Structures are given as structure tokens and as C-alpha cells.
Amino acid sequence: MRLAIIGCMVMSREINHLAAESRHVVRIWWQRQGLHDTPEILRSELQKNIDAIERENEQLRPGLKFDAIILAYGLCSNGVIGLRSRTLPIVVPRCDDCISFFLGSAERYRELFRKLPGVYWYNRGWIEQAFTPSKENYRIQREQYAEEYGEENADYLMECTNNWMINYRYCGYITCPLGDCPEHETYARQAAEDFGWEFEKVEGSMAYLDAIVNGPWDDQQFLTCPPHSRIEADYSNKKFHSIPCEIDDWKKK
């Protein structure tokens, strides 16, 4: 098969590795980390990529056309809800976010969520690609606020920005099966100490990521949204389902 994968940079190391070894022909469109913080923007960017892939696909010779678009995204703050395609099926994992990918399954994610209530997850991709909580990152953030808004406003903004931290009790560090840098675990351990969290080291798995790249895309783990359908929320462990798009409905989008 020839696959178009749209993914977040936090999993670039793992997916690039799997794509290089895949029996499929894989091309990847990468998105910057953090778009899930603004779901409307995430949805817009993903739809732009889907549309661009389909436009390009129309120009390709038979034998070089894509067979499917694979989203390396979970629900991601509802950022995938409403996505649609005209000519290609969209395959999307049935999970909340990429933490399930790094743990190997949505089931393991839910199991650890019950075991470690109030856990903030760190791993190699998040430390390398994202703004992860640490005293150093917060020092830099406060300096930026002070420069833009003044000292007094900087303190207020830091309080508003970081009040979510009172709900967390654990720092979960997920190991990378492709190899970890010792400084990443040290970073996570230091964050746990700085914020008064209990540190838990959890073994990572490539199983879900391998299924994203190589299949099979079974209905238990993935939704396959056919052409001229859109992704709709499903308030269960299945996360979403697809519904057909009426022609008039399509034109409104």
C-alpha cells in the first residue's frame, strides 16, 4: 500500500523509524507540537493537509496514488472531530492523545490512568519537541512575560498559566524503545522533585505506533472514515465514528 501519514513532531523519531522499515510506501506530513492546545487550529491544519494530499493524489499516475490517509493523532482535544475527505479513507486511532501511542495501547493508557491519578507524562519526544514543565522552562517563560507585560503582570500571568499543576501528583516518564538519553530521565526526575510529584518510570512500547504505520487498522483500535464522510464524536471508549456527508453539507464547509 501507499500511505500518506499526518503526524505530530513528538513522535517523529518513532514513526520515521517504522516508516523506513515498513513494507508499505510511506510519506509523512509533519505538524508542529502544541496544536492540540487550540483545537480549531489543529482541525484547520489537519484538514488543509488532507485536502492537499487529495489534490496531489489526483495528479499522480496509477500505481503511485495513495491508498489511504493515516492520522497519527488521537482525539486530541476534539481536534480531529469534523475532518473529512473526498476520495481517500481516513484512518484515525481510537484514543485520547499520543500518550496511548507511546504506551502501546489505549487500554494500557486507561489502566495507568487508574493506577496513577493525576499523572503528567514525559518522554523523549515531548522533552525534545514540546514545552514541558520544569523550573528552567518556567524561568524562561516568566522572563518573556516580564519583557512583554511588565514584572507585576508577569507574576499574575504565571499564576494563571500554571494553576493546573495543583491537580497533578505523579510524574510519569515513558522510556523510548529506540533508546533513551540519560539526561531526559534526569530532566523528568528533576521536574518531579521541583514540583513535589512522585516519580514513576514506565516502559514504553512501539505496538500502537507500529499498527499506525503498518496496520492492520482493526475497528477496535482504529476508525476508518470512508470518502464523503466526516468524523463525529462518540462518547465511549471508541472515541468517534463516521457519518456520510450530504452534498449541501459539504459545500457549507
Side-chain angles (χ1 to χ4, degrees):
M1 296 182 72
R2 305 182 77 90
L3 305 176
I5 295 180
I6 308 173
C8 173
M9 285 297 298
V10 295
M11 63 199 79
S12 60
R13 189 180 302 275
E14 292 86 351
I15 287 185
N16 280 327
H17 174 84
L18 291 164
E21 296 188 338
S22 179
R23 64 186 181 276
H24 302 307
V25 178
V26 177
R27 183 173 160 192
I28 306 167
W29 279 255
W30 291 115
Q31 302 294 304
R32 66 176 175 85
Q33 189 279 334
L35 290 176
H36 67 280
D37 293 332
T38 49
E40 291 296 331
I41 295 177
L42 172 58
R43 183 179 303 111
S44 175
E45 291 301 308
L46 291 176
Q47 190 62 61
K48 286 178 185 177
N49 277 265
I50 291 168
D51 295 343
I53 290 166
E54 293 197 297
R55 285 195 301 270
E56 180 175 333
N57 209 42
E58 292 174 358
Q59 307 303 316
L60 295 175
R61 300 195 309 270
L64 297 180
K65 292 181 180 291
F66 294 113
D67 297 295
I69 297 171
I70 315 296
L71 298 184
Y73 282 88
L75 190 59
C76 292
S77 303
N78 285 333
V80 302
I81 301 303
L83 296 178
R84 61 189 63 209
S85 71
R86 296 176 183 274
T87 59
L88 290 170
I90 302 174
V91 178
V92 56
R94 295 187 186 277
C95 61
D96 287 301
D97 52 45
C98 66
I99 299 303
S100 292
F101 301 162
F102 297 123
L103 292 172
S105 70
E107 290 77 11
R108 188 167 181 232
Y109 173 85
R110 290 191 289 269
E111 175 187 332
L112 287 167
F113 184 82
R114 291 189 292 269
K115 179 183 177 183
L116 305 171
V119 60
Y120 192 97
W121 294 105
Y122 291 73
N123 79 333
R124 187 170 187 176
W126 274 87
I127 292 172
E128 291 175 343
Q129 300 287 347
F131 181 93
T132 48
S134 72
K135 279 194 173 180
E136 177 62 14
N137 278 345
Y138 284 151
R139 182 189 65 79
I140 295 171
Q141 186 181 53
R142 192 196 178 283
E143 287 180 355
Q144 292 172 338
Y145 283 156
E147 183 177 345
E148 292 185 41
Y149 306 109
E151 290 290 334
E152 185 175 342
N153 288 329
D155 290 333
Y156 174 73
L157 288 170
M158 287 299 293
E159 182 180 350
C160 292
T161 301
N162 302 312
N163 61 7
W164 59 268
M165 296 181 67
I166 62 175
N167 297 317
Y168 285 83
R169 296 168 48 195
Y170 296 92
C171 168
Y173 179 72
I174 307 170
T175 64
C176 177
L178 299 179
D180 272 313
C181 297
E183 58 265 31
H184 290 152
E185 182 176 339
T186 300
Y187 178 97
R189 286 184 179 275
Q190 185 62 53
E193 182 178 337
D194 290 343
F195 302 127
W197 296 339
E198 185 175 339
F199 181 84
E200 289 282 342
K201 185 175 180 178
V202 177
E203 184 177 357
S205 169
M206 296 280 282
Y208 211 167
L209 289 160
D210 183 81
I212 289 170
V213 175
N214 293 307
W217 302 288
D218 61 277
D219 187 65
Q220 182 177 354
Q221 290 193 98
F222 296 90
L223 167 70
T224 299
C225 181
H228 283 273
S229 299
R230 70 168 180 264
I231 299 171
E232 288 286 300
D234 185 327
Y235 301 99
S236 70
N237 285 340
K238 300 194 80 170
K239 303 303 176 185
F240 22 66
H241 59 269
S242 63
I243 63 170
C245 293
E246 299 294 339
I247 294 177
D248 290 341
D249 184 37
W250 185 280
K251 290 178 179 178
K252 292 175 185 176
K253 301 296 180 178

